[in-house]
PDB file of all heavy atoms in Angstrom:
ATOM      1  N   THR H1323       0.830  -1.212   0.000  1.00 96.00           N
ATOM      2  CA  THR H1323       0.000   0.000   0.000  1.00 96.00           C
ATOM      3  C   THR H1323       0.862   1.258   0.000  1.00 96.00           C
ATOM      4  O   THR H1323       0.567   2.238  -0.704  1.00 96.00           O
ATOM      5  CB  THR H1323      -0.939  -0.002   1.217  1.00 96.00           C
ATOM      6  OG1 THR H1323      -1.716  -1.213   1.212  1.00 96.00           O
ATOM      7  CG2 THR H1323      -1.878   1.194   1.185  1.00 96.00           C
ATOM      8  N   LEU H1324       1.942   1.256   0.778  1.00 97.00           N
ATOM      9  CA  LEU H1324       2.858   2.392   0.787  1.00 97.00           C
ATOM     10  C   LEU H1324       3.512   2.585  -0.577  1.00 97.00           C
ATOM     11  O   LEU H1324       3.662   3.716  -1.063  1.00 97.00           O
ATOM     12  CB  LEU H1324       3.923   2.193   1.856  1.00 97.00           C
ATOM     13  CG  LEU H1324       3.499   2.375   3.313  1.00 97.00           C
ATOM     14  CD1 LEU H1324       4.619   1.963   4.254  1.00 97.00           C
ATOM     15  CD2 LEU H1324       3.097   3.838   3.582  1.00 97.00           C
ATOM     16  N   ALA H1325       3.908   1.467  -1.216  1.00 96.00           N
ATOM     17  CA  ALA H1325       4.543   1.556  -2.533  1.00 96.00           C
ATOM     18  C   ALA H1325       3.614   2.186  -3.561  1.00 96.00           C
ATOM     19  O   ALA H1325       4.060   2.940  -4.436  1.00 96.00           O
ATOM     20  CB  ALA H1325       4.993   0.165  -2.989  1.00 96.00           C
ATOM     21  N   ASP H1326       2.311   1.895  -3.452  1.00 96.00           N
ATOM     22  CA  ASP H1326       1.339   2.507  -4.370  1.00 96.00           C
ATOM     23  C   ASP H1326       1.299   4.023  -4.208  1.00 96.00           C
ATOM     24  O   ASP H1326       0.919   4.743  -5.140  1.00 96.00           O
ATOM     25  CB  ASP H1326      -0.054   1.924  -4.128  1.00 96.00           C
ATOM     26  CG  ASP H1326      -0.164   0.471  -4.580  1.00 96.00           C
ATOM     27  OD1 ASP H1326       0.687   0.043  -5.386  1.00 96.00           O
ATOM     28  OD2 ASP H1326      -1.087  -0.221  -4.127  1.00 96.00           O
ATOM     29  N   LEU H1327       1.679   4.485  -3.015  1.00 96.00           N
ATOM     30  CA  LEU H1327       1.706   5.925  -2.744  1.00 96.00           C
ATOM     31  C   LEU H1327       3.104   6.508  -2.972  1.00 96.00           C
ATOM     32  O   LEU H1327       3.322   7.697  -2.712  1.00 96.00           O
ATOM     33  CB  LEU H1327       1.282   6.182  -1.292  1.00 96.00           C
ATOM     34  CG  LEU H1327      -0.136   5.734  -0.903  1.00 96.00           C
ATOM     35  CD1 LEU H1327      -0.357   5.919   0.596  1.00 96.00           C
ATOM     36  CD2 LEU H1327      -1.174   6.525  -1.690  1.00 96.00           C
ATOM     37  N   GLY H1328       4.033   5.671  -3.417  1.00 97.00           N
ATOM     38  CA  GLY H1328       5.398   6.135  -3.624  1.00 97.00           C
ATOM     39  C   GLY H1328       6.164   6.319  -2.321  1.00 97.00           C
ATOM     40  O   GLY H1328       7.109   7.107  -2.265  1.00 97.00           O
ATOM     41  N   LEU H1329       5.773   5.578  -1.277  1.00 97.00           N
ATOM     42  CA  LEU H1329       6.374   5.742   0.046  1.00 97.00           C
ATOM     43  C   LEU H1329       6.953   4.422   0.538  1.00 97.00           C
ATOM     44  O   LEU H1329       6.585   3.347   0.058  1.00 97.00           O
ATOM     45  CB  LEU H1329       5.319   6.235   1.046  1.00 97.00           C
ATOM     46  CG  LEU H1329       4.648   7.580   0.730  1.00 97.00           C
ATOM     47  CD1 LEU H1329       3.471   7.808   1.673  1.00 97.00           C
ATOM     48  CD2 LEU H1329       5.661   8.713   0.832  1.00 97.00           C
ATOM     49  N   THR H1330       7.853   4.512   1.507  1.00 96.00           N
ATOM     50  CA  THR H1330       8.402   3.335   2.173  1.00 96.00           C
ATOM     51  C   THR H1330       8.507   3.621   3.665  1.00 96.00           C
ATOM     52  O   THR H1330       8.446   4.784   4.093  1.00 96.00           O
ATOM     53  CB  THR H1330       9.812   2.972   1.644  1.00 96.00           C
ATOM     54  OG1 THR H1330      10.694   4.076   1.870  1.00 96.00           O
ATOM     55  CG2 THR H1330       9.762   2.638   0.161  1.00 96.00           C
ATOM     56  N   ARG H1331       8.657   2.574   4.438  1.00 97.00           N
ATOM     57  CA  ARG H1331       8.905   2.734   5.873  1.00 97.00           C
ATOM     58  C   ARG H1331      10.291   2.166   6.195  1.00 97.00           C
ATOM     59  O   ARG H1331      10.803   1.312   5.466  1.00 97.00           O
ATOM     60  CB  ARG H1331       7.836   2.007   6.706  1.00 97.00           C
ATOM     61  CG  ARG H1331       7.692   0.533   6.388  1.00 97.00           C
ATOM     62  CD  ARG H1331       6.653  -0.148   7.261  1.00 97.00           C
ATOM     63  NE  ARG H1331       6.401  -1.524   6.842  1.00 97.00           N
ATOM     64  CZ  ARG H1331       5.694  -2.394   7.528  1.00 97.00           C
ATOM     65  NH1 ARG H1331       5.160  -2.051   8.686  1.00 97.00           N
ATOM     66  NH2 ARG H1331       5.507  -3.621   7.076  1.00 97.00           N
ATOM     67  N   ARG H1332      10.875   2.641   7.263  1.00 97.00           N
ATOM     68  CA  ARG H1332      12.187   2.150   7.663  1.00 97.00           C
ATOM     69  C   ARG H1332      12.006   0.990   8.628  1.00 97.00           C
ATOM     70  O   ARG H1332      11.373   1.129   9.683  1.00 97.00           O
ATOM     71  CB  ARG H1332      12.994   3.268   8.339  1.00 97.00           C
ATOM     72  CG  ARG H1332      14.400   2.809   8.758  1.00 97.00           C
ATOM     73  CD  ARG H1332      15.324   3.992   9.004  1.00 97.00           C
ATOM     74  NE  ARG H1332      14.893   4.809  10.124  1.00 97.00           N
ATOM     75  CZ  ARG H1332      15.300   4.614  11.377  1.00 97.00           C
ATOM     76  NH1 ARG H1332      16.128   3.610  11.651  1.00 97.00           N
ATOM     77  NH2 ARG H1332      14.892   5.411  12.347  1.00 97.00           N
ATOM     78  N   VAL H1333      12.551  -0.149   8.269  1.00 96.00           N
ATOM     79  CA  VAL H1333      12.437  -1.356   9.086  1.00 96.00           C
ATOM     80  C   VAL H1333      13.710  -1.521   9.902  1.00 96.00           C
ATOM     81  O   VAL H1333      14.809  -1.599   9.348  1.00 96.00           O
ATOM     82  CB  VAL H1333      12.199  -2.599   8.216  1.00 96.00           C
ATOM     83  CG1 VAL H1333      12.206  -3.861   9.070  1.00 96.00           C
ATOM     84  CG2 VAL H1333      10.880  -2.464   7.457  1.00 96.00           C
ATOM     85  N   ALA H1334      13.566  -1.566  11.217  1.00 97.00           N
ATOM     86  CA  ALA H1334      14.713  -1.725  12.102  1.00 97.00           C
ATOM     87  C   ALA H1334      14.915  -3.169  12.549  1.00 97.00           C
ATOM     88  O   ALA H1334      16.039  -3.599  12.799  1.00 97.00           O
ATOM     89  CB  ALA H1334      14.551  -0.834  13.336  1.00 97.00           C
ATOM     90  N   VAL H1335      13.809  -3.925  12.661  1.00 96.00           N
ATOM     91  CA  VAL H1335      13.887  -5.303  13.152  1.00 96.00           C
ATOM     92  C   VAL H1335      12.915  -6.166  12.350  1.00 96.00           C
ATOM     93  O   VAL H1335      11.787  -5.748  12.076  1.00 96.00           O
ATOM     94  CB  VAL H1335      13.522  -5.400  14.649  1.00 96.00           C
ATOM     95  CG1 VAL H1335      13.688  -6.840  15.155  1.00 96.00           C
ATOM     96  CG2 VAL H1335      14.356  -4.444  15.486  1.00 96.00           C
ATOM     97  N   ARG H1336      13.380  -7.376  11.983  1.00 93.00           N
ATOM     98  CA  ARG H1336      12.513  -8.371  11.348  1.00 93.00           C
ATOM     99  C   ARG H1336      12.506  -9.633  12.208  1.00 93.00           C
ATOM    100  O   ARG H1336      13.559 -10.102  12.629  1.00 93.00           O
ATOM    101  CB  ARG H1336      13.005  -8.726   9.940  1.00 93.00           C
ATOM    102  CG  ARG H1336      12.960  -7.601   8.933  1.00 93.00           C
ATOM    103  CD  ARG H1336      13.412  -8.079   7.555  1.00 93.00           C
ATOM    104  NE  ARG H1336      13.529  -6.989   6.629  1.00 93.00           N
ATOM    105  CZ  ARG H1336      12.526  -6.494   5.910  1.00 93.00           C
ATOM    106  NH1 ARG H1336      11.317  -7.057   6.023  1.00 93.00           N
ATOM    107  NH2 ARG H1336      12.704  -5.483   5.088  1.00 93.00           N
ATOM    108  N   THR H1337      11.343 -10.175  12.459  1.00 92.00           N
ATOM    109  CA  THR H1337      11.215 -11.423  13.213  1.00 92.00           C
ATOM    110  C   THR H1337      10.201 -12.327  12.518  1.00 92.00           C
ATOM    111  O   THR H1337       9.638 -11.962  11.481  1.00 92.00           O
ATOM    112  CB  THR H1337      10.757 -11.180  14.661  1.00 92.00           C
ATOM    113  OG1 THR H1337       9.340 -10.930  14.670  1.00 92.00           O
ATOM    114  CG2 THR H1337      11.482 -10.008  15.305  1.00 92.00           C
ATOM    115  N   THR H1338       9.946 -13.480  13.096  1.00 89.00           N
ATOM    116  CA  THR H1338       8.890 -14.367  12.608  1.00 89.00           C
ATOM    117  C   THR H1338       7.728 -14.429  13.592  1.00 89.00           C
ATOM    118  O   THR H1338       6.903 -15.335  13.510  1.00 89.00           O
ATOM    119  CB  THR H1338       9.445 -15.786  12.387  1.00 89.00           C
ATOM    120  OG1 THR H1338       9.973 -16.275  13.617  1.00 89.00           O
ATOM    121  CG2 THR H1338      10.529 -15.796  11.321  1.00 89.00           C
ATOM    122  N   SER H1339       7.643 -13.465  14.502  1.00 92.00           N
ATOM    123  CA  SER H1339       6.668 -13.563  15.589  1.00 92.00           C
ATOM    124  C   SER H1339       6.010 -12.223  15.889  1.00 92.00           C
ATOM    125  O   SER H1339       6.686 -11.256  16.251  1.00 92.00           O
ATOM    126  CB  SER H1339       7.357 -14.089  16.858  1.00 92.00           C
ATOM    127  OG  SER H1339       6.531 -13.945  17.983  1.00 92.00           O
ATOM    128  N   PHE H1340       4.684 -12.173  15.767  1.00 94.00           N
ATOM    129  CA  PHE H1340       3.945 -10.980  16.162  1.00 94.00           C
ATOM    130  C   PHE H1340       4.042 -10.746  17.663  1.00 94.00           C
ATOM    131  O   PHE H1340       4.159  -9.603  18.116  1.00 94.00           O
ATOM    132  CB  PHE H1340       2.467 -11.109  15.766  1.00 94.00           C
ATOM    133  CG  PHE H1340       2.203 -10.944  14.296  1.00 94.00           C
ATOM    134  CD1 PHE H1340       1.699 -11.982  13.543  1.00 94.00           C
ATOM    135  CD2 PHE H1340       2.449  -9.733  13.662  1.00 94.00           C
ATOM    136  CE1 PHE H1340       1.438 -11.836  12.192  1.00 94.00           C
ATOM    137  CE2 PHE H1340       2.193  -9.562  12.310  1.00 94.00           C
ATOM    138  CZ  PHE H1340       1.691 -10.629  11.575  1.00 94.00           C
ATOM    139  N   VAL H1341       3.973 -11.823  18.430  1.00 93.00           N
ATOM    140  CA  VAL H1341       4.050 -11.684  19.887  1.00 93.00           C
ATOM    141  C   VAL H1341       5.401 -11.109  20.288  1.00 93.00           C
ATOM    142  O   VAL H1341       5.488 -10.218  21.149  1.00 93.00           O
ATOM    143  CB  VAL H1341       3.811 -13.046  20.567  1.00 93.00           C
ATOM    144  CG1 VAL H1341       4.071 -12.950  22.070  1.00 93.00           C
ATOM    145  CG2 VAL H1341       2.383 -13.525  20.312  1.00 93.00           C
ATOM    146  N   SER H1342       6.466 -11.581  19.679  1.00 94.00           N
ATOM    147  CA  SER H1342       7.796 -11.048  19.958  1.00 94.00           C
ATOM    148  C   SER H1342       7.872  -9.570  19.611  1.00 94.00           C
ATOM    149  O   SER H1342       8.440  -8.766  20.359  1.00 94.00           O
ATOM    150  CB  SER H1342       8.851 -11.834  19.169  1.00 94.00           C
ATOM    151  OG  SER H1342      10.132 -11.263  19.337  1.00 94.00           O
ATOM    152  N   ASN H1343       7.284  -9.200  18.490  1.00 96.00           N
ATOM    153  CA  ASN H1343       7.309  -7.791  18.083  1.00 96.00           C
ATOM    154  C   ASN H1343       6.600  -6.907  19.102  1.00 96.00           C
ATOM    155  O   ASN H1343       7.072  -5.816  19.432  1.00 96.00           O
ATOM    156  CB  ASN H1343       6.671  -7.635  16.708  1.00 96.00           C
ATOM    157  CG  ASN H1343       7.521  -8.225  15.603  1.00 96.00           C
ATOM    158  OD1 ASN H1343       8.573  -8.796  15.867  1.00 96.00           O
ATOM    159  ND2 ASN H1343       7.078  -8.099  14.373  1.00 96.00           N
ATOM    160  N   LEU H1344       5.470  -7.371  19.599  1.00 96.00           N
ATOM    161  CA  LEU H1344       4.752  -6.589  20.601  1.00 96.00           C
ATOM    162  C   LEU H1344       5.557  -6.469  21.892  1.00 96.00           C
ATOM    163  O   LEU H1344       5.549  -5.423  22.545  1.00 96.00           O
ATOM    164  CB  LEU H1344       3.392  -7.235  20.886  1.00 96.00           C
ATOM    165  CG  LEU H1344       2.321  -7.033  19.813  1.00 96.00           C
ATOM    166  CD1 LEU H1344       1.148  -7.978  20.026  1.00 96.00           C
ATOM    167  CD2 LEU H1344       1.831  -5.586  19.801  1.00 96.00           C
ATOM    168  N   SER H1345       6.274  -7.525  22.244  1.00 94.00           N
ATOM    169  CA  SER H1345       7.015  -7.510  23.508  1.00 94.00           C
ATOM    170  C   SER H1345       8.211  -6.571  23.467  1.00 94.00           C
ATOM    171  O   SER H1345       8.702  -6.149  24.523  1.00 94.00           O
ATOM    172  CB  SER H1345       7.484  -8.926  23.855  1.00 94.00           C
ATOM    173  OG  SER H1345       8.480  -9.373  22.956  1.00 94.00           O
ATOM    174  N   MET H1346       8.706  -6.233  22.278  1.00 95.00           N
ATOM    175  CA  MET H1346       9.883  -5.365  22.215  1.00 95.00           C
ATOM    176  C   MET H1346       9.524  -3.887  22.044  1.00 95.00           C
ATOM    177  O   MET H1346      10.398  -3.044  21.896  1.00 95.00           O
ATOM    178  CB  MET H1346      10.819  -5.820  21.084  1.00 95.00           C
ATOM    179  CG  MET H1346      10.328  -5.585  19.692  1.00 95.00           C
ATOM    180  SD  MET H1346      11.578  -6.092  18.449  1.00 95.00           S
ATOM    181  CE  MET H1346      11.579  -7.861  18.639  1.00 95.00           C
ATOM    182  N   LEU H1347       8.238  -3.540  22.117  1.00 97.00           N
ATOM    183  CA  LEU H1347       7.836  -2.142  21.950  1.00 97.00           C
ATOM    184  C   LEU H1347       8.126  -1.311  23.193  1.00 97.00           C
ATOM    185  O   LEU H1347       8.431  -0.115  23.087  1.00 97.00           O
ATOM    186  CB  LEU H1347       6.345  -2.068  21.608  1.00 97.00           C
ATOM    187  CG  LEU H1347       5.926  -2.693  20.278  1.00 97.00           C
ATOM    188  CD1 LEU H1347       4.416  -2.557  20.081  1.00 97.00           C
ATOM    189  CD2 LEU H1347       6.669  -2.070  19.103  1.00 97.00           C
TER     190      LEU H1347
END
């Protein structure tokens, strides 16, 4: 969706777990 708008976001961390992502906020 961002690409369709000509935009990108900066990704700092990639994981395989939504729960892990929430825990590191």
Side-chain angles (χ1 to χ4, degrees):
T1323 304
L1324 286 172
D1326 290 341
L1327 299 174
L1329 300 170
T1330 60
R1331 56 178 173 170
R1332 181 162 65 91
V1333 175
V1335 183
R1336 295 183 187 275
T1337 78
T1338 59
S1339 168
F1340 286 116
V1341 173
S1342 175
N1343 290 3
L1344 285 166
S1345 69
M1346 70 177 69
L1347 296 179

